[in-house]
């Protein structure tokens, strides 16, 4: 039992701030020798999953002592963290980094987050526990960003409300903009629908029948974007990332609706992808 306790990974508590920064607190990390009481040669190491060897695949944050005897590392919002999943480790001097386990998370500042006006990329980092019990972060970095809000379903349509962030003049960007539905991996034409705009807020209604007109008979996935009238400007992906839920696909679920297609009846439903982007899936009846 003692050996198992000694082998257990250290745990890190995470505190989020409203700007998108994170602070990590480690209370039970036994630093290897050599190292006296004043030797804090440790680092919190973030490794991007699948790209740890890339030039931007590793971020090292210095660890320092706090008044209560814990170790602390800060990840400010202005430190660029490319999009992806980052596994959290702790390292001492040149030793091999070791995984950290999740502790307590204080993510209250992320709930219903409303970023201020800015044109810099929006930074979102949400800590979560992996299926193996390790600590990881999901990171997004977007400009512009279209945050999806309420989704209301009717018999054959979906009505979406949202807000645009990280553009200089949101109401001008949204003027005459449209929502684009792009069929993933297919040759179907892009479908569009107009927006209703009020300041930086927008809403639209998308008909499932429009997406089902070219249904292949298998599973078609339509990714949703906002496209400004000025085609020289970058579009914005519809997503829901301004809260404390790292993976929404299995949590935010919506009932399917039956829709007619060229191969018979199909099921249509909106869903959030593994990246928390908003999409619509058209597939055969079960």
């Amino acid at each position: 039992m003692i050996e198992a306790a000694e082998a257990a990974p250290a745990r890190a508590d995470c505190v989020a701030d409203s700007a998108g920064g994170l602070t990590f607190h480690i209370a039970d990390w036994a630093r290897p020798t050599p190292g006296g009481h004043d030797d804090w040669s440790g680092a919190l190491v973030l490794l991007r999953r699948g790209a740890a060897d890339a030039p931007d695949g590793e971020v090292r944050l210095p660890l320092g002592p706090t008044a209560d005897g814990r170790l602390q590392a800060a990840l400010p919002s202005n430190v660029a963290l490319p999009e992806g999943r980052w596994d959290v480790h702790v390292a001492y001097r040149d030793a091999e980094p070791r995984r950290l386990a999740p502790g307590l998370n204080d993510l209250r500042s992320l709930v219903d987050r409303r970023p201020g006006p800015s044109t810099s990329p929006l930074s979102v980092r949400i800590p979560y526990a992996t299926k193996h019990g390790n600590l990881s972060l999901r990171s997004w970095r977007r400009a512009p960003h279209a945050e999806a809000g309420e989704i209301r379903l009717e018999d054959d349509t979906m009505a979406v409300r949202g807000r645009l962030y990280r553009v200089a003049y949101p109401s001008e960007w949204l003027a005459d903009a449209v929502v684009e539905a792009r069929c993933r991996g297919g040759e179907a034409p892009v479908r569009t629908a107009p927006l209703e705009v009020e300041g930086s807020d927008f809403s639209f209604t998308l008909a499932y029948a429009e997406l089902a007109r070219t249904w292949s008979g298998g599973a078609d996935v339509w990714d949703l974007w906002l496209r400004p009238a000025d085609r020289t400007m970058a579009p914005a992906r519809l997503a829901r990332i301004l809260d404390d839920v790292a993976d929404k696909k299995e949590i935010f679920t919506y009932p399917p609706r039956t829709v007619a297609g060229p191969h018979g009846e199909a099921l249509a439903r909106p869903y959030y992808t593994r990246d928390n982007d908003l999409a619509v899936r058209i597939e055969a009846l079960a």
Side-chain angles (χ1 to χ4, degrees):
M1 295 293 291
I2 295 177
E3 291 179 356
E6 291 175 347
R11 295 183 176 274
D13 300 335
C14 298
V15 180
D17 62 50
S18 59
L22 286 175
T23 302
F24 302 84
H25 299 278
I26 305 174
D28 52 356
W29 179 39
R31 290 174 296 136
T33 57
H37 178 73
D38 296 324
D39 184 357
W40 301 95
S41 301
L44 193 83
V45 182
L46 307 178
L47 298 178
R48 185 151 57 102
R49 198 175 300 171
D53 295 331
D56 59 354
E58 177 179 323
V59 174
R60 298 180 76 92
L61 306 171
L63 282 166
T66 61
D68 59 5
R70 297 188 295 174
L71 293 174
Q72 176 178 294
L75 176 63
S77 60
N78 58 5
V79 172
L81 199 66
E83 286 206 19
R85 296 179 186 270
W86 294 76
D87 296 328
V88 185
H89 301 71
V90 67
Y92 182 78
R93 291 188 173 177
D94 296 327
E96 189 72 16
R98 298 189 305 173
R99 289 301 301 270
L100 281 170
L104 299 176
N105 289 336
D106 183 353
L107 307 181
R108 290 173 292 179
S109 64
L110 300 183
V111 179
D112 296 325
R113 180 183 168 197
R114 292 284 185 97
S118 173
T119 58
S120 62
L122 178 67
S123 294
V124 176
R125 296 83 175 261
I126 305 177
Y128 68 96
T130 70
K131 63 181 180 181
H132 298 297
N134 295 314
L135 177 63
S136 291
L137 302 180
R138 182 62 177 91
S139 172
W140 291 266
R141 186 172 172 82
R142 298 192 174 181
H145 167 61
E147 178 74 3
E150 177 190 20
I151 299 177
R152 190 175 68 254
L153 304 182
E154 302 295 340
D155 288 341
D156 56 357
T157 64
M158 57 180 286
V160 180
R161 300 184 63 85
R163 175 169 289 191
L164 181 68
Y165 293 97
R166 291 320 196 230
V167 298
Y169 304 102
S171 59
E172 294 182 13
W173 193 100
L174 289 168
D176 298 320
V178 296
V179 61
E180 283 189 348
R182 306 175 183 177
C183 191
R184 189 185 306 173
E187 298 180 355
V190 172
R191 309 297 187 192
T192 63
L195 297 180
E196 294 186 9
V197 178
E198 184 177 348
S200 59
D201 294 330
F202 61 85
S203 62
F204 63 86
T205 299
L206 192 62
Y208 293 140
E210 279 296 300
L211 306 185
R213 281 198 292 123
T214 54
W215 177 49
S216 63
D220 290 349
V221 175
W222 294 80
D223 295 319
L224 303 185
W225 295 75
L226 294 191
R227 165 67 73 176
D230 184 351
R231 292 304 180 99
T232 65
M233 302 172 66
R237 184 72 166 93
L238 264 291
R240 186 164 182 170
I241 58 178
L242 294 177
D243 56 26
D244 61 343
V245 182
D247 292 292
K248 295 182 174 62
K249 186 173 183 179
E250 305 300 331
I251 297 176
F252 289 76
T253 59
Y254 301 93
R257 295 288 191 264
T258 302
V259 61
H263 299 278
E265 290 189 327
L267 293 178
R269 67 177 180 92
Y271 78 101
Y272 286 104
T273 71
R274 292 187 69 253
D275 294 322
N276 288 358
D277 294 325
L278 185 58
V280 179
R281 186 179 181 91
I282 310 291
E283 59 187 346
L285 296 172

